[in-house]
Amino acid sequence: MQTLLNDVDTHVDSFLDDLKTALRIPSISSDPAHQPDMTRMADLLSTKLHELGFDKVQTISTKGHPAVFGEWCDQPDKPTVLIYGHYDVQPVDPVDLWTAPPFEPEVRGDKLYARGAVDDKGQVYIHLAAVASWFKSGEKPPLNIKFIIEGEEEVGSVNFKELVTEHKDLLGADYVLISDTPMLKKGLPSIAYGLRGLAYLQIDLVGSKSDLHSGSFGGVVANPINVLTKMLASLKDDKGRVTIPGFYDDAVEISAAEHDGLSKLPFDEIEFADAIGAPALTGEAGFTRLEQLWARPTLDINGIWGGFQGPGAKTVIPAEAHAKLSMRLVPNQDWQKITKQVLAHLIAITPESVEISITPMHGGRGYLAGIDSPAIQAAKAALAEGFGTEAVLTREGGSIPIVPMLAEVLNAEVLLVGFGLPDQNAHAPDENLDLENFHKGIRSLVILYQNLSELKPI
Ligand code: BES
Ligand code: MN
Ligand code: MN
């Protein structure tokens, strides 16, 4: 093992160069203009898997962007891990706020900056580097490894879900390993045992067939922006609770044991608020910040637009108002059921002076796993060795829609071992990957594959 880890140290710069090559491809899944880049990125990954010595390497097409698969299954009596990740990235706007162009990866200080640096190309490449290290050692990996890297995670994995059901035998594994989450803080390796789910929709209100002079009409017609803001404001009460009937019915409650566990984690509210420039934090009354963040559902307006936004003043009653709304969900809340409840509630509170249309966009279930499986122990030991610090068990507020499905369809245990950091700026300008995490992440995974190989196949 020591030789292997020394090899990681020797090759870490070339592993980083590989990652930079991937980061130069603007694989933004939501933007049809980047379709060719999605193909280029999938090709790059399949070439990489070929080079590493993987078999059955294939680009599996979907109704949307393709996913890339490869396997190396030469250890018949050993367990199989499926490594899942995503090669698609979020859009880069507002691009002016980036220090350097988002698709020209740049090392500044101890971080690598680029869109996708941490979410999720950087973390996919940590696995590719760990696997490469095993091959370079001449020893070959100690267990069977499959990769599935999709291109639609950032847009809800809608088509990928079909792929998973269709190809469940090809993807079959004992463990699913995913690096697409942050650590609780720098130097503190983390294993996430839960994720929140999501339901996302768009609301459009129309009050008249075109904009109106507010002097000639103001006072007698509904202003869709006034109506929409009032409706949206009513969706949460002043205790931070969502007011949609039935919203909390199925939500899994936080057990006393979990409350205790989460309370022991190092979380500094002031530091957290300062890092994001927030004057203070706020959330649902009766819960700790980490509970609010990880284990309680919530509702947010993600965007709102309409009316006059040019320079100066314009006396107008806008014809339309629009908003994007999403809810973070917790395990057991069914996103389709929640979507129906929101739809019914919004329709019920819409006054007859405007017309509403609601477009559900996507969603996914939350995820919650046990915390004392042999695989979690294996991950703890690997991270402790790789980082020199005991790992903590966390949940996460973000969503990876395919996770509950992978666990269910493949009947496999999912391990979320991520190497991001709270200040990684995922989805924002100056997204970055901590270079120490890149290096220690590779070392940890090299050890993790070994530790998992010693477990019984499930
Ligand atoms: N890597 C994130 C998920 C994540 C974010 C985990 C923060 C833990 C903390 C993933 O790429 C992501 O952004 N997911 C989306 C899913 C959505 C588009 C369906 C999310 O959470 O908004
Ligand atoms: Mn991600
Ligand atoms: Mn993301």
Side-chain angles (χ1 to χ4, degrees):
M1 182 55 72
Q2 198 48 52
T3 353
L4 205 63
L5 294 176
N6 292 342
D7 279 355
V8 172
D9 301 348
T10 318
H11 294 111
V12 69
D13 288 337
S14 83
F15 293 146
L16 196 65
D17 286 340
D18 274 358
L19 168 58
K20 287 183 189 162
T21 306
L23 293 172
R24 288 192 187 98
I25 302 178
S27 47
I28 303 172
S29 49
S30 61
D31 186 347
H34 286 284
Q35 175 67 51
D37 298 314
M38 300 306 288
T39 316
R40 271 170 66 211
M41 190 59 219
D43 289 349
L44 180 72
L45 286 167
S46 77
T47 308
K48 181 80 203 163
L49 289 173
H50 263 299
E51 278 171 16
L52 283 173
F54 274 71
D55 307 314
K56 290 197 193 166
V57 176
Q58 50 190 297
T59 299
I60 309 178
S61 51
T62 71
K63 284 187 203 131
H65 303 301
V68 182
F69 174 85
E71 66 170 45
W72 184 88
C73 291
D74 284 2
Q75 298 280 20
D77 302 322
K78 294 292 187 178
T80 301
V81 286
L82 174 71
I83 299 167
Y84 162 87
H86 62 94
Y87 69 81
D88 64 324
V89 300
Q90 287 276 334
V92 293
D93 56 287
V95 73
D96 300 349
L97 297 184
W98 287 76
T99 307
F103 295 108
E104 293 173 24
E106 189 173 273
V107 173
R108 295 195 297 276
D110 57 358
K111 290 175 187 302
L112 171 66
Y113 291 83
R115 171 58 85 231
V118 69
D119 187 11
D120 180 35
K121 288 178 190 171
Q123 301 201 63
V124 167
Y125 274 74
I126 293 179
H127 280 278
L128 290 169
V131 172
S133 303
W134 271 101
F135 279 112
K136 279 188 208 297
S137 74
E139 279 185 50
K140 305 286 180 204
L143 78 181
N144 305 299
I145 300 180
K146 298 179 178 181
F147 271 94
I148 185 78
I149 309 164
E150 71 149 314
E152 294 205 314
E153 196 277 341
E154 299 291 7
V155 289
S157 300
V158 178
N159 300 299
F160 185 66
K161 286 178 183 162
E162 253 172 60
L163 183 154
V164 170
T165 343
E166 251 170 57
H167 296 270
K168 69 174 186 183
D169 294 333
L170 187 68
L171 300 179
D174 303 289
Y175 303 101
V176 179
L177 254 181
I178 303 180
S179 297
D180 193 23
T181 47
M183 311 197 313
L184 190 57
K185 55 163 76 184
K186 171 114 174 146
L188 194 60
S190 311
I191 303 165
Y193 63 91
L195 294 167
R196 285 196 289 190
L198 187 75
Y200 203 117
L201 41 93
Q202 177 166 331
I203 307 167
D204 303 282
L205 289 193
V206 181
S208 54
K209 63 180 186 224
S210 71
D211 287 359
L212 304 168
H213 189 295
S214 70
S216 312
F217 297 94
V220 298
V221 293
N223 178 322
I225 298 184
N226 291 28
V227 173
L228 182 62
T229 50
K230 189 171 171 195
M231 286 169 65
L232 293 175
S234 77
L235 297 180
K236 261 181 160 181
D237 68 16
D238 46 14
K239 290 208 162 61
R241 278 182 72 86
V242 176
T243 58
I244 297 158
F247 185 75
Y248 293 98
D249 283 0
D250 303 326
V252 167
E253 297 293 332
I254 303 159
S255 69
E258 184 168 31
H259 172 82
D260 287 348
L262 296 184
S263 305
K264 291 199 185 86
L265 292 176
F267 178 77
D268 183 329
E269 169 151 0
I270 309 238
E271 206 180 284
F272 187 88
D274 278 353
I276 53 171
L281 300 185
T282 176
E284 186 185 358
F287 295 93
T288 66
R289 293 288 176 230
L290 286 181
E291 288 169 349
Q292 291 167 349
L293 194 60
W294 294 343
R296 293 297 296 163
T298 187
L299 174 147
D300 279 286
I301 302 159
N302 301 105
I304 181 160
W305 69 102
F308 178 62
Q309 288 162 53
K314 183 183 183 197
T315 45
V316 67
I317 297 178
E320 296 177 12
H322 312 269
K324 307 249 188 198
L325 183 77
S326 70
M327 281 132 297
R328 290 287 167 180
L329 308 175
V330 296
N332 218 27
Q333 282 182 301
D334 173 342
W335 70 272
Q336 277 146 326
K337 181 172 164 190
I338 295 278
T339 302
K340 282 192 198 126
Q341 287 170 341
V342 183
L343 241 118
H345 181 65
L346 286 170
I347 290 169
I349 63 172
T350 305
E352 56 183 21
S353 50
V354 295
E355 265 166 21
I356 187 166
S357 60
I358 306 167
T359 315
M361 299 177 76
H362 59 66
R365 272 189 286 157
Y367 178 71
L368 195 58
I371 54 170
D372 44 26
S373 68
I376 295 232
Q377 296 308 325
K380 275 188 170 170
L383 289 166
E385 216 176 316
F387 278 80
T389 315
E390 285 302 315
V392 289
L393 286 162
T394 63
R395 283 170 76 160
E396 277 302 335
S399 314
I400 307 174
I402 204 64
V403 165
M405 216 184 135
L406 284 173
E408 215 170 272
V409 174
L410 306 181
N411 188 25
E413 179 174 352
V414 176
L415 262 184
L416 297 160
V417 177
F419 303 104
L421 284 180
D423 63 352
Q424 63 191 4
N425 287 2
H427 296 199
D430 284 351
E431 177 179 346
N432 62 80
L433 174 70
D434 184 273
L435 293 177
E436 185 177 290
N437 281 12
F438 182 71
H439 190 169
K440 292 187 171 173
I442 302 169
R443 291 175 64 107
S444 304
L445 291 180
V446 163
I447 305 167
L448 179 56
Y449 301 154
Q450 175 62 41
N451 291 358
L452 289 175
S453 78
E454 289 158 17
L455 302 182
K456 280 198 225 73
I458 327 184

